Amino acid sequence: MGNHFFDKATMPAGQDRVDGRAKVTGTARFAAEHPVPELTYGVLVCSTITKGHIKSLDTKAAEKAAGVLAVLSHLNSPKVPGFDPPKPANKDEKPRAWDGLKVFYSDKIYFNGQPIAVVVADTYERALYAATLVKAEYIKEPHQTDFNANIKQAASPKGGGDDYTRGEANAWKKAPVTLEAEYIVPFEVHNPMELHAIIAVWEAEDKITVYDKTQGPKDTQQSIMQAFNLPEKNVQVVTEYVGGAFGSALRTWPHEIAAMLAAKKVNKPVKLVLGRDNMFTLVGYRPYTIQKIGLGATEDGKLTGITHTAISQTSSYEEFTEGAVGVSKFLYACPNVNTSYKLIPLDIGTPTWMRGPGEATGCFALESALDELSYKLNIDPVELRLRNYAETDPQRNLPWSSKYLKECYQMGAEKIGWFQRNRNPRSMQEDGMLVGYGMSTGVFGAFRWNATAKGIFHADGTLTVQSAVSDMGPGTSTSMVNIASEAFGLPHDKIKFELGSSSLPPGPTQGGSGTTSTLGSAVHEVCVELTNQLKQLALSAGNSPFKNAKPEGLAVENGNVLLVADRNIKMSYVDILKQHNKPELEFMKESNAGEEQKKYSMYSYSVHFTKLHVHPSTGVITIKKVVTAGDAGKIVSEKTARSQMIGGVTGGIGMALTEEGIIDHRYGRYVNNNLADYHVPVNADVPEIEALFVNRPDPYLNPMGAKGMGEIALIGYAASVANAVYHATGKRIRDLPITLDKIIS
Amino acid sequence: MNTQKPRQASENGSDGFNASRRDFLKLSSAVAAASITPSVVTKAADKKVDERIADYFEKMTLNIEVNGTAQQLQVEPRVTLLDLLREQLHLTGTKKGCDHGQCGACTVHADGKRINSCLSLAIMNEGKKITTIEGLAKGEELHPVQQAFIKHDGFQCGYCTPGQIMSAVSCIREGHANSAGEIREFMSGNICRCGAYPNIVDAIMDVKKGGQDV
């Protein structure tokens, strides 16, 4: 292991974030903060019923209120061509249907909090006040928001369920040792700190610029093109900084279209910022999911059967699915596996991917169940996982591109003192508290998609790299500068990464832990090609010091092309450009994944260890220490990587202990739609977290050897807490969050 | 923010509470405001020029010092300090995360003390000295806490960061940065959803131990 491992004490500090200064001085510009002349303000009016129709909408008072420019609703909204796409000329081609809610399209109400109007005024306060004057009358219909009351409605998704069988279905039932249990993950809400916001500016009748919160500037551009039937060149999406998102900004939501419609109507720029309550209803959430796991094993702990079924929910108007049961197909070597996934449509907005998405839900169940089985077998939970370690992918029958999960178990266990604990439940005490240790595994696909990057080397010796990507916090700019620095042979401070505009070369949407792999590959390839061009130019320069040398005999370092055979013989990039009278050197390239993804199964892994205290009489849980070990391939940015792992664990602490969106089913409305009642972890909830990395490159995924990290940081974590709570108390909590009432009941 | 309506308008939308400024001006012109050229005001209202006049009557003078610059502003009483900073003074470093005093993203210093600017009406700050994140550095030279946040990576997305830093400065000034545990408690009014808390604690400890003047 030796040199491959580093931890907080010994690892190099790593590069500071390239945008750190902008963020600590308040100059980083988020969506709602762009100065736009003649700005007006839009405030949404949202439905107070959950299902039915708008009978009447009285907007007179609002329209008369001071400063109000317009009140827009289904009664007077400009048309959105993309909502009713014309039939394609070619009969074989299907019209591209609009995904999701069509805002201000009809009088129909699909969920509580659905936008029914937007009030536009010249100041925020005037719009906010006037919005209270809009009066709606409804024709109510009975609604269904209660998951458990509707469980009989569960059906396979139209787009295909996750029905899968390997070997024999339900083989676990025949095993000598069996476990069957049900696990619940409730509604969880992304709640990034930045409220979703947009400024919509129609530059002309058919030309728009939006300053928008989005994880994918190109995706948002495509949605706007589709909605308003506009060519690509007429739609610009600017998203310089994104204040967190965790999945909530992966698609275009109704409020974005509402702002664009409002701006069209008043013929002025409109800023629309959601309220925190809207963040629960309008920008997705992690769907409520009940899972059942059946595990069968031999007496010596070899798994003989896994059955993993899930019932989740979607909205009444749109189907959303995620891979909750996928992890059970490949995480452990087991000959007999079957899964299924069903959905219940409810009268709530459509869910969306939330950090870790389905895998976080699935790993909570699977990794809790493994822990339960370990006690039945009287085998240490780490040992049980090692006995069922999958050396190759049992689902696809392919080798792993790289897998250092064993190393993660070892590193984490050592660091937290796993094997020094007393394994028996409720056996350990410290300072009058029950002590619990728990562990769990996380896994997520390591992806690489297509991306284009452009590199421009300037005569002043600086390099600009560009791509239309956004950075919601992981440190994409910093990682890309690191990759460029390595590949181009130039110090970090001479490299600038430009992102956040759809007019840049097409970059990937930031999601699925794939940005570094996808975009990093493009940046790497562009930089390598630029160095190749510089080498050629160096050889052909009038004053070339490389007489009779070949490109293969040259290397790059610190802004110079140099001779490998004698590194003192060199020529600076700046000089090379000067000799050729070139003001700059530019190269753009689309980078695509190769055939490797078909030959290998590619995953990132994490192992989380938690030590916690439980108060013996009140059940209050205090997380004392966390060690999280990741196999995310080669780490390209040490400092931001560590922060990402710590951040994922923090999200996991919320998932484990506090987060639950609660709907009052009588009204179909959230009762805790604010940050005082929906509890995300605060500073006092989070202890020291040690993030360890195996830091070995994946040889096949991309040229950097980097795998993804954003998801594995959170996936599985909640199970390590549930398992630690069981170890501390002897009580198994299977429905999240683990609140103290469940412990003392 | 509009799922709950504080008041419903009556049918014709012209009861006392919800009356438009136009109605208000017509009414007031006939009664108390007789001394201020009522006929002109009424005529203006009819011609829909009333809003500018309403502005004049309904705004209050606010004397406030923001980041060392004394300002005299005309502000509606309902404008929060946060919205004044962001929307009118274009100091967008101070963030809106909840508008309910629940997240701390809007933390600024008022006469040297940390407050949630979303819970403070602008006019409540008459005569006060407000410091926002934009006013913390001395020119190009970052404040030690800003520097420490960069060094310890006390953020990811950066949205809660201005509030965290303003709170962190106060946390040290208040004498509440004597241990990691104490810092965690006294920094718990500032939510960071990216989960940079351990790094924020490290950054504050670093400054505190360094003994720099904050």
Side-chain angles (χ1 to χ4, degrees), chain A residues 17 21 44 135 639 643, chain B residues 1-2 11 140 151 153:
Chain A
R17 266 170 216 267
R21 193 180 175 95
L44 293 175
K135 190 179 166 192
K639 196 174 267 195
S643 294
Chain B
M1 61 192 77
N2 306 303
E11 281 304 310
E140 286 299 296
K151 178 176 160 196
D153 210 31

Side-chain angles (χ1 to χ4, degrees), chain A residues 66-67 122 126, chain B residues 21 25 44 48-59:
Chain A
D122 58 353
R126 285 171 162 186
Chain B
R21 281 168 176 71
L25 286 172
K48 301 194 176 184
V49 189
D50 59 319
E51 262 118 51
R52 276 169 60 199
I53 299 169
D55 270 4
Y56 178 79
F57 286 113
E58 297 186 11
K59 285 186 175 175

Side-chain angles (χ1 to χ4, degrees), chain A residues 146-435:
Chain A
D146 188 343
F147 185 94
N148 290 294
N150 287 277
I151 204 142
K152 285 185 181 156
Q153 309 300 320
S156 288
K158 292 183 200 85
D162 222 344
D163 293 335
Y164 169 85
T165 303
R166 173 166 84 237
E168 185 188 338
N170 300 318
W172 67 272
K173 289 181 180 173
K174 299 178 185 169
V177 183
T178 62
L179 174 102
E180 187 180 26
E182 195 173 271
Y183 303 89
I184 298 174
V185 174
F187 295 110
E188 289 168 9
V189 185
H190 307 71
N191 273 320
M193 294 318 297
E194 183 199 18
L195 300 162
H196 277 243
I198 180 170
I199 301 173
V201 188
W202 287 94
E203 319 272 4
E205 182 86 351
D206 61 349
K207 193 165 186 278
I208 190 167
T209 296
V210 296
Y211 304 89
D212 196 11
K213 177 179 180 116
T214 170
Q215 290 170 243
K218 293 304 285 186
D219 270 2
T220 301
Q221 183 189 39
Q222 290 291 326
S223 295
I224 298 171
M225 287 159 57
Q226 185 192 352
F228 294 99
N229 194 22
L230 298 173
E232 184 171 346
K233 64 178 174 40
N234 287 12
V235 178
Q236 200 195 356
V237 178
V238 179
T239 179
E240 275 181 43
Y241 286 91
V242 178
F246 317 107
S248 64
L250 276 169
R251 64 180 297 188
T252 301
W253 296 106
H255 72 274
E256 292 165 272
I257 302 292
M260 289 180 253
L261 289 170
K264 208 172 198 23
K265 184 84 175 175
V266 302
N267 202 21
K268 281 184 177 177
V270 170
K271 181 195 288 196
L272 195 157
V273 182
L274 292 189
R276 184 53 66 180
D277 55 349
N278 303 133
M279 299 287 284
F280 286 72
T281 50
L282 294 182
V283 291
Y285 55 92
R286 192 192 299 284
Y288 192 106
T289 306
I290 290 185
Q291 300 171 82
K292 209 173 251 187
I293 301 256
L295 295 180
T298 60
E299 299 281 359
D300 63 350
K302 288 290 282 183
L303 286 168
T304 56
I306 302 175
T307 296
H308 188 166
T309 63
I311 300 176
S312 192
Q313 46 82 213
T314 184
S315 64
S316 65
Y317 56 90
E318 195 179 10
E319 187 169 276
F320 172 80
T321 63
E322 58 180 7
V325 297
V327 290
S328 289
K329 298 173 192 168
F330 64 85
L331 186 51
Y332 297 106
C334 178
N336 305 299
V337 177
N338 62 303
T339 68
S340 87
Y341 177 81
K342 291 190 166 121
L343 284 179
I344 305 171
L346 293 175
D347 298 315
I348 315 175
T350 310
T352 195
W353 298 279
M354 179 165 159
R355 195 173 193 174
E359 287 78 353
T361 299
C363 270
F364 167 64
L366 180 62
E367 290 298 292
S368 292
L370 255 286
D371 197 71
E372 298 201 44
L373 184 68
S374 78
Y375 283 97
K376 282 201 166 191
L377 291 162
N378 197 23
I379 296 173
D380 185 278
V382 171
E383 175 59 25
L384 177 62
R385 285 164 173 85
L386 292 173
R387 286 190 195 179
N388 293 284
Y389 197 79
E391 297 288 357
T392 56
D393 182 354
Q395 182 188 359
R396 297 173 70 202
N397 283 319
L398 289 175
W400 308 111
S401 58
S402 65
K403 180 177 182 178
Y404 300 109
L405 178 56
K406 258 181 206 167
E407 286 80 352
C408 293
Y409 289 128
Q410 285 165 8
M411 290 162 73
E414 242 168 64
K415 201 83 194 175
I416 199 136
W418 181 254
F419 294 109
Q420 282 81 57
R421 82 198 193 289
N422 181 335
R423 196 147 57 82
N424 295 322
R426 218 181 170 93
S427 63
M428 295 180 73
Q429 289 212 8
E430 198 173 84
D431 306 328
M433 299 286 171
L434 303 172
V435 176

Side-chain angles (χ1 to χ4, degrees), chain A residues 487-613:
Chain A
F488 190 67
L490 199 67
H492 296 86
D493 59 3
K494 295 205 164 148
I495 303 172
K496 188 177 175 206
F497 182 70
E498 290 180 356
L499 77 172
S501 169
S502 61
S503 54
L504 297 170
T509 289
Q510 186 161 68
S513 300
T515 308
T516 300
S517 171
T518 302
L519 183 57
S521 299
V523 169
H524 176 92
E525 287 171 11
V526 162
C527 288
V528 168
E529 173 57 27
L530 281 173
T531 63
N532 288 339
Q533 291 184 13
L534 282 164
K535 285 175 192 172
Q536 291 289 356
L537 290 170
L539 290 174
S540 62
N543 64 343
S544 176
F546 311 116
K547 300 290 176 222
N548 304 322
K550 291 193 171 152
E552 308 85 79
L554 301 177
V556 295
E557 187 182 83
N558 202 15
N560 295 292
V561 173
L562 49 83
L563 197 64
V564 177
D566 181 353
R567 298 179 85 87
N568 289 321
I569 299 178
K570 57 188 167 187
M571 189 173 186
S572 77
Y573 295 170
V574 173
D575 196 24
I576 294 168
L577 249 57
K578 204 186 278 173
Q579 291 302 319
H580 286 274
N581 281 323
K582 280 181 179 289
E584 59 188 28
L585 197 61
E586 183 182 303
F587 185 66
M588 181 162 86
K589 182 176 190 293
E590 177 174 344
S591 168
N592 304 305
E595 292 296 295
E596 298 84 0
Q597 296 192 9
K598 290 179 189 156
K599 295 184 201 157
Y600 299 93
S601 280
M602 300 178 169
Y603 290 94
S604 294
Y605 299 90
S606 58
V607 178
H608 312 287
F609 288 89
T610 298
K611 178 192 176 188
L612 52 74
H613 282 176

Side-chain angles (χ1 to χ4, degrees), chain B residues 116-169:
Chain B
N116 286 332
S117 62
C118 76
L119 291 187
S120 178
L121 293 169
I123 54 164
M124 290 160 64
N125 294 279
E126 172 68 27
K128 289 192 179 161
K129 291 180 178 168
I130 305 297
T131 307
T132 71
I133 191 72
E134 290 93 341
L136 203 56
K138 286 181 191 154
E140 286 299 296
E141 188 194 336
L142 293 180
H143 185 281
V145 173
Q146 290 173 312
Q147 199 70 59
F149 265 62
I150 294 177
K151 178 176 160 196
H152 291 277
D153 210 31
F155 48 85
Q156 288 199 55
C157 76
Y159 196 79
C160 74
T161 311
Q164 298 280 359
I165 289 173
M166 298 313 285
S167 249
V169 171

